[in-house]
Amino acid sequence: MGRYIRNTAILAKIETTEGVDATPTGSSNAILVSDMSINPLNAQNVDRALVRSYFGASEQLVGTAYKTVEFTAELASSGSAGAVPAWGALMRACGFAENDDTTFVSYSPDSPSAQKSATVYYYDDGVLHKLLGCKGTLTIGMGVGERPTLQFSFIGLDGGDTSVSNPSTDYAAWKQPLVITNPNTGNVTFGGTYSAGAVTGGTSYTSRGLQIDVGNNVQFTPMLGAEFVDITQREVTGRIELDLSASQEATFMGNVKANALSSVSLEHGTAAGGIVGIFMAAVQLINPSKVDANGRRLIGFDMRSVPAAGNDDLVIYAK
């Protein structure tokens, strides 16, 4: 009897002690995903390279090894303002601190010493692959005409592989997102101020949405006595395409040449409990380009988000 790719379940839970199995369950920690993949053993094999009186390969010895997993989750709020969204644990394992308020929940970069790790269970139609001490990075897709997404990539310690049936899973916490469209999504805002789950002020521009790469540098370090997965650096980058007038384009080009910084934000959703937002406090626009959008002239920019006061180069909030 065959095994099937769609018979997959992914669970994730924040660890109390880094690298110690947090035992996620299908009823409480199931991740609703698409586009998933796993490398069940990324091993640095060591070739014996034996010299013998005949040609032929030597065995390779399995050396230091880790596991990787990638998947896409939908970016949607919890359905209730102030309730932690289903993807919250994944953000925390990507180096973000969780601020749970009564009316909103936000995620901003955590200090290195406070970062959390997660246990990920990847059930592949009868085989459980365990990843311990997982840390990762993500890209955020909020392009017009698309569903809002969080594309995660995790590295974890090898927690073993066992033959076991997939668990029952509860995806009730995962809410259906709205597509990024004009009725569902606000304009991109430059120069606004973020506070307590809201952006005020600034100037709005027509755009095709945002693409953001959190840019965590995630490394596996094997040692004698312990193995580690660390986030050692973060460089938030992105892409934006704007519908600018001629005078606005000239102003933006001047800002690019002056290495100017501005906040950039985008909010998506129409009602409390269903709103998510992105805020970057200090963004530098670089690499301007001319974009043809069905014959309409747009101006594209790459973005580099830098810290303004520290650990504030990206805020993701849900309310």
Side-chain angles (χ1 to χ4, degrees):
M1 183 176 177
R3 296 167 60 208
Y4 299 98
I5 293 172
R6 294 192 66 88
N7 192 16
T8 296
I10 299 177
L11 319 180
K13 185 178 180 181
I14 293 297
E15 295 171 342
T16 301
T17 303
E18 186 168 326
V20 176
D21 194 341
T23 60
T25 66
S27 59
S28 299
N29 309 112
I31 309 299
L32 186 60
V33 306
S34 58
D35 307 318
M36 70 286 180
S37 66
I38 187 171
N39 184 340
L41 191 67
N42 192 324
Q44 306 302 306
N45 290 341
V46 179
D47 195 337
R48 294 183 70 197
L50 300 174
V51 177
R52 295 171 290 203
S53 61
Y54 46 86
F55 291 161
S58 300
E59 304 93 330
Q60 288 191 340
L61 307 178
V62 175
T64 59
Y66 58 92
K67 299 177 185 284
T68 63
V69 62
E70 297 180 351
F71 51 82
T72 298
E74 292 174 330
L75 175 59
S77 192
S78 64
S80 178
V84 173
W87 37 269
L90 302 174
M91 293 299 302
R92 294 175 67 193
C94 288
F96 284 77
E98 184 177 83
N99 175 27
D100 187 1
D101 196 89
T102 56
T103 58
F104 71 96
V105 181
S106 67
Y107 297 87
S108 57
D110 212 346
S111 60
S113 61
Q115 290 174 358
K116 303 298 182 183
S117 61
T119 295
V120 174
Y121 284 8
Y122 192 113
Y123 289 88
D124 184 21
D125 198 357
V127 175
L128 167 59
H129 303 284
K130 289 187 180 182
L131 293 81
L132 306 179
C134 287
K135 293 180 183 175
T137 189
L138 72 147
T139 59
I140 304 168
M142 296 187 74
V144 64
E146 302 173 354
R147 60 181 181 143
T149 58
L150 303 168
Q151 297 174 299
F152 292 97
S153 178
F154 287 101
I155 292 177
L157 306 178
D158 181 9
D161 314 282
T162 56
S163 175
V164 61
S165 298
N166 287 18
S168 298
T169 50
D170 184 349
Y171 298 117
W174 293 88
K175 303 304 179 184
Q176 180 175 291
L178 297 172
V179 172
I180 306 289
T181 64
N182 185 50
N184 296 334
T185 314
N187 290 340
V188 167
T189 298
F190 280 72
T193 301
Y194 172 82
S195 178
V199 177
T200 56
T203 303
S204 296
Y205 296 91
T206 303
S207 76
R208 299 181 73 178
L210 294 176
Q211 303 293 330
I212 299 171
D213 185 349
V214 169
N216 285 340
N217 184 3
V218 187
Q219 297 292 334
F220 166 71
T221 304
M223 301 183 72
L224 300 181
E227 295 178 321
F228 304 95
V229 176
D230 299 302
I231 299 173
T232 60
Q233 170 63 314
R234 177 185 65 255
E235 292 189 6
V236 179
T237 59
R239 176 73 180 171
I240 190 169
E241 295 175 357
L242 300 171
D243 185 6
L244 300 176
S245 68
S247 62
Q248 288 171 334
E249 180 183 349
T251 298
F252 270 75
M253 288 300 297
N255 291 339
V256 171
K257 294 175 183 178
N259 306 313
L261 300 177
S262 172
S263 69
V264 176
S265 60
L266 178 64
E267 191 165 280
H268 171 65
T270 59
I275 297 173
V276 292
I278 303 292
F279 180 82
M280 294 174 286
V283 173
Q284 179 188 15
L285 299 182
I286 60 174
N287 302 329
S289 61
K290 302 284 190 175
V291 179
D292 179 350
N294 298 326
R296 190 177 185 90
R297 171 60 71 216
L298 303 184
I299 310 302
F301 301 92
D302 292 335
M303 300 186 296
R304 291 183 62 82
S305 181
V306 300
N311 289 332
D312 58 354
D313 36 332
L314 177 64
V315 178
I316 304 171
Y317 60 90
K319 59 181 182 178

